[in-house]
Amino acid sequence: MAQSVRNRRHLLSHALALALALLPFAAGAQDAAPSPTKDLDAVTVTGSRIKRASVEGPAPVNVISAAQIQKEGFVTVYDALKTLTEATGTVEAASQWGSHTPNASGLNLRGMGPNRSLLLVNGRRVADYPLPYGGETNFSNYSNIPAAAVERIEVLTGGASAIYGSDAIAGVVNVILKTNYDGDEVRVRGGTSTEGGRDTWDLSWAGGKTGDNWSVTYALQYTKRDPLFGRDRPQMDDADDALYPSWNMEQRKVGFRPTAGLALIDPSNGQRLAPPDGTCEKFAGEYYTADRLVYNYNANTVSNTGRLCGMSADYANWLLTGGSENLSGNLYATFDFGNDLQAWSNLAVYRSEAIWGTNPPSVSLIDDANGYYWDANRNRPVLGVRQFTPNEVGGLDTLRNTNRELSWDISAGLRGRLADRFDWSATVGRSYYRVEERQNVVDEQKSYDFFLGPRLGTTGDGEAIYALNESRWWNPITPDQYWQMGTVAKNRASSYVNQASADITGELFQGWAGPISFAAVAEVAKQGYHLSPDPRAGIDFDLQNVDRGGGERTRYSAGVEFKIPLADSLIATAAARYDRYGSYKADGSGEALDIGSQKETTWNAGLEWRPFESLLVRGSYATSFHAPDMHYLLGQASSSEVLTYDRLRCIESGAYLVNNCGVGNTDVWYAFDVNRRGTPLLRSETGDSWTVGFVWDVLPNLSMSADYWAIKLEDMIVDVGADEVLASEAGCLTGKNMDGTPWANPAGEAYCAGILARVNRDGSGRLVSIERGPFNLASREVRGIDLSARYRLETAAWGSFQLGVNYTNQISTKEQRYANDPNPERRDRDLRSKLRASLAWQGGNWNANVYADRIGSVPGVRYHWGTDRLDNPGGCLPFADGYVPSDSPSLNCLEPATRPDGSANPNPNAGQQTARYYGRVGPFITWNFNVGYQVTEFMKVNLYVNNAFNATSWNHKDPYKVDYDFAPTRLLGAVGREFALEYVFTF
């Protein structure tokens, strides 16, 4: 089957090449395809009419106008886009532990991932965000687009590679900027949160001038948002606020706190060594004497690991919502030469400084290959952990971690008309993005010098010997002493794309049922990225220090599209496109790399049937692809030292038989490096999608639509983590799991070869390092329905009303990590539905708007500190043979003695507690209200109340999430209700 698909694509590529050879011009801009979106915008967004059936196309397109963004209370482009019902996938929360891109906002359409939808600005690609999402993939940042410059946003969901190329797996977001604007508008807006801690300001100026043969459109926008910390929300600044239902009050009080603080630890058993009496009281109330309790999920028990000094408010300085100060501008100009020839140019600039955290820096005394040191004073192995208090560092406001960002996009082109039949254009441009991530860290060696003094030698086992200066360790230090070891690390990253394109579109000839239209496009582009990490940046939270990598590649593309009337009421569309990626070069390499074949031909086809004027029945099918992200291919080894057990040596030695594979057995429990690097020979992800639906103008002022859609992705690239590398190496070489059961190879010999190539051992068989990274392993399939309705009512006495409703239900989600895995329905593990509605009213000088969105329930979250991943089982975890017990409202999932069919349970643990239950939380509804009054012809005042009923993470806590911040933060923020007042001046 795969070979036949490849053959069809090969034949299609030849047909495409022949078609292009017959065209008078090479062709190319992203917006070359004939599209009804301008008419659609005029009809569905401005509200001048409701009828849609006559202008919609074979695939649904959602259009958001600048006026809609403003009236629904949103300030930024991303604020509006994340409410799209098609955005059923979540992204990293600002408060998420280990967030890699705290100042960037990705969009996750259809739950396919932020890297599988395409962002265009005026039909052109922009540079990727320089830092990889989750430390793994490239993606687009939607936060750096000035809303003041936006005319409308067109969103096509589903495969669109035949028109736009790679990345358009889940959809395309095309932001159209204002052009040919005449006049000026200044908007001044200030707001605050009723819960405190979040003031916002927004100032924008948009305008334009036109002459006989020229035009200039400009937009400037300044925004400022204060950061929000745990201390600004006392409901969630401390682990006391956790709501885990199985804990009694005492367990909740100290259950998972403190995670840091001040402690010496016996590495052989994890026990804290009690600090001297009165130590914790010396730190001006920042520390308190506490037990470190550890909760065992499976046994439902709490164990005491000893005394330490814990932070009085663990999470008071944890960032809940980032703060930023942004300045952006856009300039667009045209000049008419006459004879249907026009030149244009566009310049967009964005500058930002964002706060992404002020967590107190910490130091760990682990100067040894085994993750600890030998203390000469105590004559024992010791591990030291210390979190500096605000008083010691001179105030946390001096330690704010920030991102400084600069991006710009410049483009220019010509457009005209040929033979009074064809429109053509040619474009060149460059887009660039730079980030400097400034992180306050402690210089490790200087901290050793300060607290441990000189190295005194090594033990017979090779452990480093020091004499801890306990006077310094157990007493507060001064800010001057802190800055002897404190420093600011600067991670720098940049990305760019240079591109040129040409396109031609028009009517070829008169067909039997109407004119046959076509468009052709040709493009060439070169993109690159560069990561320059600071070695002082310290360990991040995903088993690596910092992201490393960089390089460049070129892309050549060509495509055609046809629109063919088959009958008076039936129109067919078809498109095909060829993309080729090549000439890869890694940073520091002047030679091309052998990355493998990344050539794809994609196509789509659609039908529009209008049995009568008010009804459109439509359907489309499309193939699509996603070329491997450059960081998947060119990521360089990013290393950190971890302390865990060697699964292979544990199995080979038989230690697992006596449960002796943990702390204390240095033959299997020791430190080694975990690296992440790219995989050069990755294949492109390929997929297909289809839609079928209708648009019905029920009444002249009422329109409805319904579309069923499906997207399937093959060869999906996933990052294989450190745990999997270790477990699979042991399985490949011994055929066993850690519990002695047979290991099943999930993906064949090639999988084992790839895993073994990522493991480095010394002559004695001890691990030196392992390398985690991406593989083509998985497949994902999603299906759902989109519903929408628009209604307009005009009254003489009460003014005009407009209602718009959109609803998406993702009715199926399936994902296989390996081809041989079972493929059960996983819909209940993800967000299942979203609804948004907006009711606008206009009467005389007054206007008002009510906006609401509803996010359906989601699984309760369990977070694994050891693997840095989220578990969303959505019920009882399955047992070894795949049987899933019935969900229970209790916290225990018992393996029953008999199955529902009455058969005996073959499992030896029948009747025992083998899994925990994690239910659902939600749904969540957010309401925005605003009212405006036109004071004079040139001045207007608007009052906004956003999130009027305080739908926040801290009042919708997740009772199953036992770690900070105890809430579904990927869906709800912590800001709460906000008021804003806006003045609008036109002149």
Side-chain angles (χ1 to χ4, degrees):
M1 180 63 183
Q3 185 62 41
S4 66
V5 172
R6 293 290 181 181
N7 288 340
R8 288 199 300 271
R9 289 185 175 181
H10 183 65
L11 292 172
L12 222 122
S13 64
H14 284 291
L16 174 59
L18 177 62
L20 287 174
L22 299 176
L23 296 177
F25 276 71
Q30 300 281 1
D31 56 354
S35 168
T37 50
K38 289 187 179 180
D39 290 338
L40 179 66
D41 176 58
V43 175
T44 64
V45 176
T46 64
S48 59
R49 290 177 293 134
I50 292 296
K51 292 182 180 180
R52 295 193 290 156
S54 61
V55 296
E56 290 269 9
V61 177
N62 195 351
V63 182
I64 304 172
S65 71
Q68 181 181 350
I69 294 174
Q70 292 164 3
K71 74 181 182 182
E72 290 179 351
F74 303 119
V75 176
T76 70
V77 168
Y78 180 70
D79 286 343
L81 286 176
K82 69 181 181 182
T83 69
L84 288 172
T85 62
E86 298 89 343
T88 53
T90 59
V91 294
E92 287 184 340
S95 61
Q96 182 175 326
W97 179 268
S99 176
H100 290 72
T101 50
N103 193 40
S105 300
L107 194 66
N108 191 347
L109 296 176
R110 305 301 194 199
M112 299 298 288
N115 61 326
R116 297 187 182 96
S117 56
L118 177 62
L119 170 63
L120 307 173
V121 177
N122 282 346
R124 299 173 56 256
R125 291 175 179 252
V126 294
D128 291 331
Y129 191 72
L131 295 172
Y133 181 83
E136 298 175 1
T137 66
N138 303 111
F139 74 111
S140 297
N141 179 21
Y142 290 79
S143 289
N144 67 332
I145 303 171
V150 172
E151 177 183 318
R152 69 183 185 276
I153 305 169
E154 301 171 353
V155 183
L156 170 65
T157 50
S161 290
I163 305 297
Y164 300 104
S166 176
D167 308 339
I169 295 283
V172 179
V173 177
N174 190 10
V175 180
I176 308 299
L177 303 180
K178 293 174 180 175
T179 60
N180 298 317
Y181 192 93
D182 201 358
D184 291 273
E185 180 183 84
V186 174
R187 308 179 78 94
V188 181
R189 174 169 169 163
T192 189
S193 167
T194 59
E195 303 296 328
R198 177 70 166 179
D199 292 340
T200 63
W201 290 95
D202 181 77
L203 172 64
S204 66
W205 176 20
K209 308 295 180 186
T210 58
D212 293 337
N213 57 357
W214 59 271
S215 72
V216 175
T217 303
Y218 43 84
L220 290 172
Q221 186 166 10
Y222 168 81
T223 60
K224 185 177 186 299
R225 281 158 177 73
D226 291 340
L228 193 73
F229 297 98
R231 60 178 176 268
D232 299 318
R233 294 293 179 267
Q235 306 92 331
M236 57 194 308
D237 71 342
D238 202 290
D240 286 1
D241 304 311
L243 294 179
Y244 196 75
S246 70
W247 296 0
N248 60 38
M249 187 58 64
E250 185 61 27
Q251 289 171 335
R252 284 178 51 204
K253 182 176 180 182
V254 293
F256 269 82
R257 61 181 286 192
T259 57
L262 174 62
L264 291 181
I265 305 169
D266 183 343
S268 66
N269 56 23
Q271 286 292 313
R272 272 66 180 169
L273 307 180
D277 291 341
T279 295
C280 306
E281 290 75 12
K282 298 177 182 178
F283 289 82
E286 297 289 346
Y287 280 142
Y288 72 104
T289 303
D291 288 330
R292 167 61 171 160
L293 302 184
V294 177
Y295 178 73
N296 185 307
Y297 290 96
N298 295 318
N300 194 26
T301 59
V302 176
S303 59
N304 191 335
T305 65
R307 306 288 280 177
L308 76 161
C309 296
M311 296 293 289
S312 295
D314 298 12
Y315 303 106
N317 299 301
W318 193 290
L319 185 76
L320 301 177
T321 301
S324 64
E325 190 170 7
N326 307 324
L327 180 63
S328 56
N330 189 78
L331 181 65
Y332 178 85
T334 65
F335 185 83
D336 293 319
F337 293 99
N339 298 320
D340 293 323
L341 180 64
Q342 185 183 71
W344 63 270
S345 63
N346 191 82
L347 172 64
V349 180
Y350 168 81
R351 181 186 178 278
S352 173
E353 180 160 350
I355 298 168
W356 57 270
T358 58
N359 297 326
S362 61
V363 61
S364 298
L365 305 181
I366 55 173
D367 192 314
D368 180 74
N370 293 319
Y372 49 86
Y373 75 97
W374 189 270
D375 189 82
N377 296 329
R378 295 174 179 260
N379 197 31
R380 64 184 300 173
V382 171
L383 166 62
V385 176
R386 177 168 179 159
Q387 188 173 14
F388 295 105
T389 66
N391 287 333
E392 291 180 290
V393 300
L396 286 178
D397 287 343
T398 66
L399 294 181
R400 287 184 169 178
N401 299 325
T402 60
N403 273 18
R404 296 179 179 178
E405 302 188 359
L406 174 67
S407 68
W408 50 266
D409 187 340
I410 186 169
S411 57
L414 294 171
R415 52 188 168 224
R417 191 162 178 82
L418 179 67
D420 203 31
R421 290 179 58 192
F422 302 104
D423 294 319
W424 63 271
S425 68
T427 304
V428 295
R430 175 176 171 84
S431 178
Y432 176 82
Y433 207 135
R434 183 185 72 204
V435 174
E436 181 183 82
E437 186 181 65
R438 301 168 67 89
Q439 180 180 358
N440 288 279
V441 297
V442 175
D443 186 292
E444 183 179 67
Q445 185 56 55
K446 291 181 179 178
S447 71
Y448 291 168
D449 294 341
F450 185 81
F451 289 113
L452 294 176
R455 184 167 176 158
L456 303 178
T458 57
T459 67
D461 295 331
E463 298 169 356
I465 302 175
Y466 291 93
L468 175 66
N469 187 329
E470 299 213 16
S471 176
R472 288 183 172 180
W473 185 254
W474 298 118
N475 286 283
I477 65 172
T478 66
D480 288 340
Q481 288 175 314
Y482 167 76
W483 285 107
Q484 293 178 25
M485 63 190 97
T487 187
V488 178
K490 300 176 183 178
N491 296 323
R492 295 182 173 90
S494 63
S495 63
Y496 72 90
V497 57
N498 301 329
Q499 52 195 323
S501 62
D503 71 77
I504 186 169
T505 181
E507 296 180 356
L508 288 175
F509 50 83
Q510 187 71 21
W512 59 91
I516 295 177
S517 304
F518 93 106
V521 51
E523 302 171 357
V524 60
K526 183 177 183 179
Q527 67 176 129
Y529 82 110
H530 176 68
L531 301 177
S532 181
D534 190 322
R536 302 170 300 172
I539 299 174
D540 73 18
F541 310 110
D542 197 19
L543 297 183
Q544 62 188 35
N545 278 342
V546 286
D547 300 309
R548 294 183 174 86
E552 60 185 35
R553 67 181 176 187
T554 56
R555 172 178 58 87
Y556 303 93
S557 307
V560 291
E561 183 178 4
F562 297 94
K563 184 175 183 180
I564 306 170
L566 302 178
D568 289 342
S569 61
L570 185 64
I571 297 175
T573 59
R577 177 177 169 121
Y578 174 78
D579 289 89
R580 180 182 181 274
Y581 286 81
S583 302
Y584 284 87
K585 295 181 180 179
D587 276 356
S589 171
E591 299 181 358
L593 300 177
D594 181 13
I595 294 296
S597 176
Q598 289 170 6
K599 299 177 289 185
E600 295 294 336
T601 300
T602 51
W603 61 276
N604 70 26
L607 282 175
E608 308 168 40
W609 178 43
R610 292 175 171 82
F612 43 90
E613 183 181 358
S614 62
L615 177 65
L616 165 65
V617 180
R618 61 188 177 187
S620 65
Y621 175 82
T623 63
S624 53
F625 83 104
H626 175 220
D629 294 319
M630 293 184 69
H631 196 60
Y632 271 150
L633 297 165
L634 303 177
Q636 298 172 4
S638 304
S639 178
S640 70
E641 189 177 75
V642 298
L643 179 65
T644 187
Y645 55 90
D646 181 341
R647 289 165 173 80
L648 177 62
R649 287 170 67 94
C650 182
I651 294 173
E652 289 180 335
S653 68
Y656 72 96
L657 297 174
V658 293
N659 296 319
N660 192 27
C661 281
V663 177
N665 184 350
T666 57
D667 288 333
V668 298
W669 178 272
Y670 54 89
F672 53 89
D673 288 338
V674 173
N675 304 324
R676 185 198 183 275
R677 64 173 171 87
T679 304
L681 297 180
L682 292 172
R683 301 181 301 277
S684 294
E685 301 174 328
T686 58
D688 58 14
S689 63
W690 57 274
T691 65
V692 61
F694 67 87
V695 181
W696 182 24
D697 298 332
V698 183
L699 299 169
N701 59 344
L702 173 64
S703 179
M704 303 173 62
S705 71
D707 291 280
Y708 180 89
W709 51 267
I711 303 172
K712 186 174 183 179
L713 182 65
E714 301 284 355
D715 279 336
M716 193 169 83
I717 300 172
V718 294
D719 236 52
V720 173
D723 283 347
E724 182 173 347
V725 172
L726 290 169
S728 295
E729 183 215 15
C732 289
L733 295 178
T734 69
K736 295 181 181 179
N737 294 309
M738 276 291 295
D739 59 2
T741 58
W743 178 78
N745 188 329
E749 294 181 3
Y751 173 74
C752 273
I755 288 292
L756 296 179
R758 292 179 174 271
V759 180
N760 178 27
R761 293 181 179 272
D762 63 19
S764 67
R766 288 172 67 92
L767 283 167
V768 176
S769 64
I770 63 171
E771 293 182 337
R772 64 187 187 92
F775 283 78
N776 288 98
L777 291 177
S779 64
R780 186 172 177 87
E781 182 177 2
V782 294
R783 295 182 289 117
I785 56 171
D786 293 334
L787 305 175
S788 73
R790 289 176 173 82
Y791 177 71
R792 182 179 179 91
L793 175 65
E794 298 281 356
T795 68
W798 300 99
S800 63
F801 298 84
Q802 296 181 57
L803 174 66
V805 180
N806 292 78
Y807 173 75
T808 293
N809 191 310
Q810 192 152 309
I811 60 178
S812 176
T813 301
K814 295 185 177 182
E815 181 174 310
Q816 287 178 289
R817 187 170 179 87
Y818 305 107
N820 297 329
D821 282 353
N823 194 18
E825 180 59 58
R826 300 174 184 267
R827 174 179 182 260
D828 287 340
R829 298 193 178 193
D830 296 311
L831 179 62
R832 300 180 297 196
S833 65
K834 290 181 71 175
L835 180 145
R836 77 188 314 274
S838 184
L839 174 63
W841 167 76
Q842 178 73 50
N845 291 335
W846 289 91
N847 70 276
N849 195 87
V850 178
Y851 164 83
D853 68 60
R854 179 188 184 274
I855 299 174
S857 64
V858 295
V861 172
R862 180 177 62 175
Y863 186 83
H864 289 269
W865 292 94
T867 59
D868 193 31
R869 64 185 176 87
L870 296 174
D871 231 356
N872 297 327
C876 295
L877 295 174
F879 297 106
D881 63 354
Y883 174 76
V884 180
S886 299
D887 289 353
S888 167
S890 72
L891 289 175
N892 296 327
C893 292
L894 302 182
E895 172 72 319
T898 59
R899 293 296 170 80
D901 61 3
S903 62
N905 186 344
N907 289 342
N909 54 0
Q912 301 177 19
Q913 176 186 335
T914 57
R916 299 204 65 76
Y917 176 83
Y918 296 91
R920 302 186 70 83
V921 293
F924 314 108
I925 303 176
T926 302
W927 294 84
N928 294 353
F929 301 96
N930 75 69
V931 60
Y933 180 71
Q934 192 75 40
V935 181
T936 69
E937 181 182 356
F938 304 106
M939 187 177 78
K940 186 181 180 183
V941 179
N942 296 314
L943 175 65
Y944 300 91
V945 183
N946 286 358
N947 196 358
F949 301 111
N950 252 4
T952 65
S953 56
W954 47 265
N955 61 20
H956 287 81
K957 289 188 177 180
D958 181 349
Y960 309 99
K961 187 177 180 183
V962 296
D963 298 303
Y964 196 74
D965 51 8
F966 318 113
T969 49
R970 290 188 176 220
L971 302 175
L972 289 174
V975 175
R977 184 189 303 108
E978 292 182 283
F979 285 94
L981 187 63
E982 180 182 54
Y983 296 92
V984 183
F985 306 92
T986 58
F987 53 93

